[in-house]
Amino acid sequence: MANLNPVDSFANFDENRLMKLAGYYKSEFGDNQLRDLSYQLDSFIVYARQCDSKFLNLKGIKDLAIVMAKIKLDQTWSLVHLLVKLTLILHAATASVERAFSSMKLIKNDLRNRVGEEFLNGCLVCKIERKVFATISNDAIMDRFQRMKPRRVQL
């Protein structure tokens, strides 16, 4: 991600590393798009370093995305802009996955090591989305469970 940083006229720019990063997004970049991205990166970096003064004082990738959208370069270099957007959401996506694993560590401890997958998923949803569940009253939850059919069969 640091290879897209516009500080010092893209001093950290490394096309090979950016292509490797794009390769991780198989659903976004197929073989043809990867080839086109390589060409777009080459032409974009030449343009950004030499032709447009708007890229001179940028402080980060967020500023790069804003400038690209503002002067409509997101249409000219659409794949470069897509790669910039994906790098911006990478932090949020990583944080949410880490939060889910830390919640799972709290819920599935030694005492509950044999918890079934369905029950574990239910517990994790309640833990991760606790802000949503905080808005629901306990009476509404109890009423819903009381209206449910019994899950265990009587022998």
Side-chain angles (χ1 to χ4, degrees), residues 35-50:
R35 187 186 67 244
D36 293 345
L37 176 63
S38 178
Y39 296 130
Q40 283 190 18
L41 283 170
D42 289 336
S43 62
F44 172 74
I45 200 65
V46 169
Y47 177 83
R49 283 180 174 164
Q50 298 172 357

Side-chain angles (χ1 to χ4, degrees), residues 47-84:
Y47 177 83
R49 283 180 174 164
Q50 298 172 357
C51 300
D52 199 334
S53 62
K54 291 182 176 92
F55 290 101
L56 289 178
N57 295 320
L58 300 180
K59 293 182 176 39
I61 298 174
K62 178 186 83 166
D63 296 333
L64 174 63
I66 291 170
V67 167
M68 286 183 77
K70 201 178 281 186
I71 59 177
K72 304 289 187 220
L73 293 179
D74 57 333
Q75 297 168 0
T76 307
W77 289 293
S78 59
L79 295 175
V80 174
H81 189 255
L82 176 61
L83 188 61
V84 169

Side-chain angles (χ1 to χ4, degrees), residues 2-137:
N3 295 299
L4 276 173
N5 196 345
V7 174
D8 295 331
S9 295
F10 294 89
N12 294 329
F13 179 78
D14 185 351
E15 183 180 343
N16 293 329
R17 288 186 178 183
L18 290 173
M19 293 302 295
K20 184 177 179 181
L21 175 66
Y24 290 127
Y25 295 102
K26 300 281 185 202
S27 62
E28 302 293 332
F29 298 104
D31 292 335
N32 292 335
Q33 284 88 4
L34 282 174
R35 187 186 67 244
D36 293 345
L37 176 63
S38 178
Y39 296 130
Q40 283 190 18
L41 283 170
D42 289 336
S43 62
F44 172 74
I45 200 65
V46 169
Y47 177 83
R49 283 180 174 164
Q50 298 172 357
C51 300
D52 199 334
S53 62
K54 291 182 176 92
F55 290 101
L56 289 178
N57 295 320
L58 300 180
K59 293 182 176 39
I61 298 174
K62 178 186 83 166
D63 296 333
L64 174 63
I66 291 170
V67 167
M68 286 183 77
K70 201 178 281 186
I71 59 177
K72 304 289 187 220
L73 293 179
D74 57 333
Q75 297 168 0
T76 307
W77 289 293
S78 59
L79 295 175
V80 174
H81 189 255
L82 176 61
L83 188 61
V84 169
K85 287 193 305 185
L86 290 171
T87 59
L88 287 173
I89 65 168
L90 188 60
H91 292 294
T94 304
S96 64
V97 169
E98 288 177 3
R99 193 168 39 252
F101 274 107
S102 110
S103 297
M104 186 168 49
K105 182 179 173 185
L106 290 172
I107 290 172
K108 192 165 183 169
N109 56 23
D110 290 337
L111 297 175
R112 294 185 225 161
N113 200 22
R114 294 197 169 104
V115 169
E117 188 173 326
E118 184 179 341
F119 182 72
L120 178 64
N121 287 340
C123 289
L124 284 173
V125 167
C126 293
K127 172 71 173 152
I128 293 169
E129 301 295 338
R130 63 183 170 268
K131 289 180 183 176
V132 173
F133 283 97
T135 63
I136 302 170
S137 72

